Amino acid sequence: MKDLYQQTFSSVAEVQRHFERHHYICDERIATCVFIAHNLQKPVLVEGPAGVGKTELAKTTAQLLDVPLVRLQCYEGLDEAKALYEWKYAKQLLYTQLLKDKLGELLEGTQGLRESMAKIHAHEDLFYSEDFLEPRPLYRALHEPRGCVLLIDEIDKSDQEFEAFLLEVLSDFQVSIPELGTIVARVKPLVFLTSNNSRELGDALKRRCLHLHIPYPDAALESRILSHRVPELSDRLRTEVVTFVQQLRELDLKKVPSISETIDWARTLLLLHAADLDPGLVKMTLNILLKFETDIAAAGEHVRSFVDKARQRAGG
Amino acid sequence: MQQTLENFYKAVRAAGVAVAPANSIEASRAVALVGYRERGILKHALSMNLAKSHADQLLVEECFEQFFRFDAFKDSARDSTAQGGDDPTANAAANAEAGGKEKSTAAPRYEGELPLAKMLMAGDRTALAVAMQQAARDAGLTDIWFFTQKSLYTQQILQRMGLRELQDEIRALGEGSCPTRIATAGALRTAKDWLYEEVRDFVERQLGMFGKTAVQSLRERHLQKTRLSNIDLRDFRTMHELVRKMARRLSALYSRKRKRANRGQLDFARTLRGNVAHDGVLFETHWKTRFVDKPRVLVLCDVSGSVQAYSRFLLLFLHSLNDVLKRIDSYVFTGSLASVNDIFDSYPVAEAIDKIMAEHGFGGSDYGGMLLDLERECLRGIDHRTTVLILGDARNNNLDARSDILQQVHQRAKRVIWLNPEPESFWNTGDSVMRNYRPYCHLAKTCNTLDHLERLLDDLLRAATAS
């Protein structure tokens, strides 16, 4: 992959430019991270609050490199069978039944157990070949002929055992399957792991990764993101929206609105043909920004003053 | 440059970020990739490789700003200019700053050969800073650990920069009666003092960067071994941090998922056996399953007057245990038993402890009464999976001990553990009734330092999860 895409990532500024062309606005930090990850082939552990674009970063990188995105969503109880491979047991059983007669034919003319056994051994281990293997995301990622972006989403939701299992994949890009041997990646994938920090990850895993923390964007960055994601929005409304949301983030809320909520809200306002923020409209649509009843109630008191300030900032 | 990076890693380690050799190698590779041209990118590249969490990241970035700060000899020179114009060094420095255009005729000039004196008189700060960095490196300043080493390192650096020669020069200039030479000597003397101040400041800053861990770990080690009753309230925060660290470590070890069903590998043996009835046609599949019960822990903590000094820490410990073990029931008692699960769940640790102490604390303990409550409320819930942990000194104020109830508990529970803050030689003295309870405990131990706590907790968890 590195050879194929050397051109794409020759400097940090270029990464940033490419991302922007794909409507992913990032700061220098994110660009540096992708640049290093790509060139040194290190996995990236992306942390940050929900909705700041952790998953989006991996998706955009895949688009940028023009390789498939292989996604592995983690959850409690995820294990090798779901992540790497599984034998198609039903198929195996079915085939043993179907081939029963053939076995008789095969063994015709042999004398004694030893000879029969030798005859069976002469055939390869048919039932444990790739034909009976159900590939799961990790296996697929290692097999992609042109490389891929592997997104291991919400790694903190998985168990510790699974985390330990990932170590081999992340450091050497290979896995061991007892029946088939060690499988090495054809082209090393670019790996993104995301975490919401619901569980402390192990040091061994962290040590192997670049650490990237994506915070909530500041006003300037958020405004740029909005202009790329919702280009139909007028400059004035955009400034108002951003100022309002930035103020909202200062409040003590259960779930602070992220950039994804800001985008949704902007789209909603566009749909409602709003030219300007007004307290009534904001109160009506506040449930798009805030997801808890208590948060909406807490923010409700401030709506008027926030809107005033937003309009002031927008020059109204 | 590699040496500079090594020193930077040292500073980062001193700031409390664990940097493994593999990390530093990776960081050096990343630096080689991005280059040194852009400060911002260099900072990001380093912090990404060295930090493992957001908190670490902030620390590394702060370290970066502090470490790659080249303003030695700058601020103070400006300050002294502002303070008074009659300071000859300041004048010289100011003149040099103005590009030497209007060289004051009154300012003494140095015409000797000594490089340090030349730098000082010319006010060449960059050269001075470079010389100081070089001297500091030669003196091994990054090994500084304690504040007592400050003057030692200051002297070493000054010597390496050529302080002795400078002093000789000043003396030589001062002798004789030529007024310009005497003025130069005076200027040099002032400059020397200024140099001393600067180097001292520099060493102090470096101590701040490199010496932090030593002091911190020394303090933590000390706290770990100190009797809980002797620890000041002032150290409560540090202590809390320590206990939390301990709990986190233990939780990482023991809080694994212990239940897993119907997934994973096919259990071939059971599948074959199960399908005998179907004439060997593999009809029903059986899967390898694994059930391990989560342990249940019941903690009873004495908060009466006699263990007052300990109880805050016992509660702190209890709070941390709450994080480690999912199924833990916490009770406090003096005379009667009171559940504190809710308080622990809904308040942060310091507040929770204050609240408990205010509501239930002090007063004389009555172990018999507590055991009666236990019998009434919890005995039915105690079974072969339950571990009962009692924290208290067993000083019963000469009341009925009711050890018969503890005997019942002992019969039902998996383990009964008694942690007593008093050393064993004090047990059974005065109103202590440890002798009545001891036969019904699987384990009775003294526990009054963090080290004890950790060891016992480790035992407890190991036993609890081994089932």
Side-chain angles (χ1 to χ4, degrees):
Chain A
M1 189 157 78
K2 196 182 163 194
D3 300 322
L4 283 172
Y5 294 98
Q6 193 95 52
Q7 283 306 309
T8 323
F9 290 164
S10 66
S11 79
V12 174
E14 198 158 324
V15 176
Q16 217 166 348
R17 221 170 22 252
H18 278 289
F19 268 123
E20 190 162 335
R21 204 173 305 144
H22 283 84
H23 301 299
Y24 188 88
I25 311 300
C26 63
D27 56 14
E28 195 180 69
R29 197 178 161 76
I30 298 176
T32 311
C33 187
V34 173
F35 178 67
I36 294 176
H38 180 256
N39 281 291
L40 298 184
Q41 298 184 326
K42 285 197 73 169
V44 184
L45 174 64
V46 195
E47 284 186 328
V52 289
K54 298 190 292 290
T55 309
E56 203 60 32
L57 175 65
K59 282 187 188 164
T60 314
T61 310
Q63 272 178 21
L64 206 86
L65 294 169
D66 192 24
V67 289
L69 174 82
V70 177
R71 182 171 177 167
L72 172 66
Q73 176 71 44
C74 295
Y75 50 85
E76 244 184 76
L78 177 72
D79 59 7
E80 283 175 55
K82 289 283 185 305
L84 183 59
Y85 73 95
E86 195 167 20
W87 292 110
K88 295 175 179 169
Y89 295 112
K91 194 173 168 189
Q92 281 172 335
L93 292 176
L94 192 65
Y95 273 55
T96 45
Q97 293 301 314
L98 288 176
L99 297 177
K100 231 179 188 172
D101 304 336
K102 275 272 176 267
L103 211 58
E105 283 172 30
L106 183 74
L107 295 179
E108 226 167 76
T110 53
Q111 286 175 348
L113 269 181
R114 193 180 298 275
E115 210 172 309
S116 324
M117 206 67 116
K119 196 140 191 183
I120 294 176
H121 276 308
H123 293 268
E124 278 177 76
D125 212 348
L126 283 174
F127 286 100
Y128 286 101
S129 62
E130 295 210 14
D131 289 334
F132 290 94
L133 192 86
E134 180 81 62
R136 301 285 187 196
L138 285 181
Y139 188 88
R140 281 213 312 274
L142 296 181
H143 263 257
E144 282 294 341
R146 290 170 50 232
C148 67
V149 171
L150 171 62
L151 169 64
I152 303 178
D153 222 354
E154 306 193 317
I155 174 77
D156 51 331
K157 301 263 164 53
S158 71
D159 306 324
Q160 253 170 348
E161 288 91 337
F162 182 70
E163 205 184 299
F165 159 76
L166 266 187
L167 294 181
E168 191 188 0
V169 180
L170 293 183
S171 53
D172 301 329
F173 295 100
Q174 63 173 43
V175 284
S176 315
I177 297 177
E179 295 88 347
L180 296 179
T182 305
I183 293 186
V184 186
R186 293 186 184 175
V187 180
K188 286 182 179 173
L190 186 59
V191 185
F192 288 90
L193 299 111
T194 73
S195 156
N196 284 329
N197 246 335
S198 68
R199 168 172 77 79
E200 187 87 359
L201 296 174
D203 277 347
L205 182 76
K206 284 180 175 173
R207 197 174 61 64
R208 280 168 176 76
C209 301
L210 290 173
H211 179 266
L212 176 69
H213 180 267
I214 307 184
Y216 292 118
D218 57 18
L221 189 63
E222 187 157 31
S223 181
R224 275 181 64 208
I225 296 172
L226 261 192
S227 68
H228 270 262
R229 290 281 157 144
V230 196
E232 304 87 355
L233 208 65
S234 70
D235 286 351
R236 182 191 163 80
L237 193 54
R238 188 168 64 237
T239 317
E240 284 180 5
V241 165
V242 170
T243 317
F244 184 84
V245 174
Q246 292 277 340
Q247 290 177 88
L248 213 53
R249 286 201 187 114
E250 309 269 306
L251 292 180
D252 180 24
L253 298 173
K254 232 171 169 175
K255 166 76 185 80
V256 177
S258 274
I259 181 68
S260 59
E261 272 102 17
T262 314
I263 292 172
D264 285 347
W265 195 46
R267 290 207 172 115
T268 312
L269 292 175
L270 207 64
L271 192 72
L272 294 173
H273 299 294
D276 227 343
L277 285 188
D278 72 74
L281 181 71
V282 171
K283 270 186 187 155
M284 235 158 48
T285 52
L286 208 53
N287 55 347
I288 293 165
L289 283 173
L290 302 171
K291 309 292 175 184
F292 287 94
E293 199 51 48
T294 46
D295 283 356
I296 293 176
E301 307 164 15
H302 302 279
V303 164
R304 187 165 289 277
S305 66
F306 283 1
V307 168
D308 285 347
K309 196 163 169 212
R311 295 174 73 139
Q312 235 170 26
R313 184 70 54 83
Chain B
M1 199 59 199
Q2 186 56 32
Q3 185 57 42
T4 313
L5 280 180
E6 293 292 332
N7 282 340
F8 176 66
Y9 302 149
K10 221 167 173 180
V12 172
R13 278 192 196 113
V17 180
V19 178
N23 285 120
S24 53
I25 294 169
E26 289 292 330
S28 302
R29 279 178 65 201
V31 168
L33 178 71
V34 299
Y36 297 98
R37 194 166 300 159
E38 296 215 25
R39 193 181 167 93
I41 292 179
L42 179 65
K43 182 166 83 174
H44 295 323
L46 282 170
S47 80
M48 237 163 251
N49 276 287
L50 300 177
K52 289 177 208 73
S53 66
H54 187 43
D56 279 1
Q57 182 198 321
L58 298 178
L59 274 176
V60 174
E61 285 179 1
E62 195 195 309
C63 256
F64 182 90
E65 295 298 347
Q66 245 190 63
F67 189 87
F68 293 104
R69 193 178 120 178
F70 304 107
D71 57 356
F73 295 104
K74 274 184 191 157
D75 293 345
S76 57
R78 211 170 293 134
D79 285 349
S80 54
T81 324
Q83 272 164 19
D86 53 349
D87 184 345
T89 337
N91 270 340
N95 286 336
E97 208 161 64
K101 272 181 198 160
E102 31 169 347
K103 273 230 160 84
S104 154
T105 40
R109 256 196 257 162
Y110 176 70
E111 276 143 2
E113 280 304 305
L114 201 64
L116 179 62
K118 267 200 254 176
M119 280 189 269
L120 281 173
M121 291 309 284
D124 187 351
R125 292 172 206 129
T126 320
L128 277 172
V130 169
M132 183 172 69
Q133 293 274 4
Q134 187 58 44
R137 199 169 296 160
D138 293 344
L141 183 61
T142 51
D143 291 330
I144 191 164
W145 267 43
F146 298 109
F147 69 95
T148 43
Q149 292 171 309
K150 235 163 35 187
S151 48
L152 173 74
Y153 276 103
T154 312
Q155 281 305 326
Q156 276 191 7
I157 291 172
L158 283 170
Q159 292 302 346
R160 275 169 218 267
M161 286 175 78
L163 181 71
R164 184 163 307 147
E165 291 79 0
L166 181 67
Q167 275 166 336
D168 292 345
E169 188 80 7
I170 293 172
R171 204 174 311 123
L173 282 170
E175 285 165 6
S177 54
C178 174
T180 33
R181 278 171 70 92
I182 291 173
T184 312
L188 271 178
R189 204 166 291 132
T190 326
K192 190 192 79 187
D193 292 344
W194 170 62
L195 176 71
Y196 178 77
E197 295 280 312
E198 280 298 326
V199 172
R200 202 178 159 78
D201 278 0
F202 174 71
V203 170
E204 212 154 283
R205 271 209 305 280
Q206 299 288 308
L207 174 69
M209 263 197 291
F210 294 104
K212 245 183 252 166
T213 26
V215 179
Q216 185 71 12
S217 63
L218 206 70
R219 190 167 180 74
E220 287 188 0
R221 230 173 9 233
H222 169 74
L223 275 180
Q224 256 177 6
K225 295 214 162 92
T226 316
R227 288 260 195 104
L228 295 176
S229 56
N230 296 342
I231 295 174
D232 278 347
L233 226 53
R234 175 169 62 91
D235 286 326
F236 192 74
R237 281 176 61 91
T238 324
M239 195 74 179
H240 179 209
E241 200 39 53
L242 264 179
V243 172
R244 252 200 23 205
K245 242 190 243 169
M246 183 174 105
R248 239 199 337 250
R249 193 164 62 234
L250 292 167
S251 112
L253 273 175
Y254 297 106
S255 71
R256 314 182 148 208
K257 282 252 110 13
R258 276 174 283 278
K259 198 177 154 202
R260 188 175 283 187
N262 205 20
R263 62 166 52 104
Q265 303 284 307
L266 182 79
D267 189 341
F268 220 83
R270 275 186 60 211
T271 305
L272 283 179
R273 206 161 45 238
N275 286 296
V276 169
H278 309 299
D279 200 17
V281 180
L282 303 179
F283 216 61
E284 292 166 20
T285 49
H286 289 267
W287 303 84
K288 283 186 179 147
T289 55
R290 195 146 52 95
F291 285 100
V292 180
D293 270 324
K294 285 191 178 175
R296 190 171 162 227
V297 179
L298 188 73
V299 187
L300 311 166
C301 181
D302 189 353
V303 287
S304 65
S306 54
V307 287
Q308 189 190 335
Y310 294 104
S311 36
R312 285 189 74 86
F313 292 104
L314 293 181
L315 286 172
L316 178 65
F317 171 66
L318 200 54
H319 192 274
S320 315
L321 258 187
N322 245 329
D323 295 340
V324 182
L325 295 170
K326 286 277 148 52
R327 293 179 58 195
I328 179 164
D329 288 318
S330 318
Y331 291 91
V332 296
F333 63 90
T334 45
S336 58
L337 212 55
S339 169
V340 290
N341 282 341
D342 292 346
I343 300 185
F344 275 156
D345 286 345
S346 45
Y347 293 95
V349 60
E351 246 175 88
I353 291 174
D354 283 341
K355 218 170 156 59
I356 291 170
M357 291 307 278
E359 279 178 25
H360 307 285
F362 314 111
S365 47
D366 172 6
Y367 280 76
M370 176 274 282
L371 285 169
L372 269 176
D373 280 351
L374 184 70
E375 183 185 27
R376 201 168 44 241
E377 286 176 27
C378 315
L379 194 61
R380 215 173 312 150
I382 295 175
D383 57 20
H384 65 283
R385 285 194 297 265
T386 316
T387 303
V388 180
L389 180 66
I390 304 170
L391 310 165
D393 59 356
R395 296 209 170 269
N396 206 21
N397 298 312
N398 301 318
L399 294 162
D400 190 4
R402 294 304 305 262
S403 53
D404 56 313
I405 301 176
L406 195 65
Q407 184 182 7
Q408 284 183 50
V409 173
H410 179 254
Q411 281 164 0
R412 297 181 69 109
K414 184 169 169 227
R415 262 153 80 89
V416 178
I417 299 173
W418 195 300
L419 303 183
N420 195 326
E422 291 183 348
E424 213 165 324
S425 52
F426 281 37
W427 296 3
N428 305 326
T429 58
D431 59 350
S432 169
V433 286
M434 234 8 230
R435 78 171 77 77
N436 301 24
Y437 294 135
R438 200 168 183 179
Y440 308 119
C441 297
H442 294 89
L443 181 77
K445 272 227 159 119
T446 301
C447 173
N448 53 22
T449 68
L450 258 194
D451 267 359
H452 284 161
L453 270 183
E454 179 168 19
R455 223 169 299 145
L456 283 163
L457 182 65
D458 196 41
D459 271 359
L460 170 74
L461 289 167
R462 207 189 306 262
T465 51
S467 58

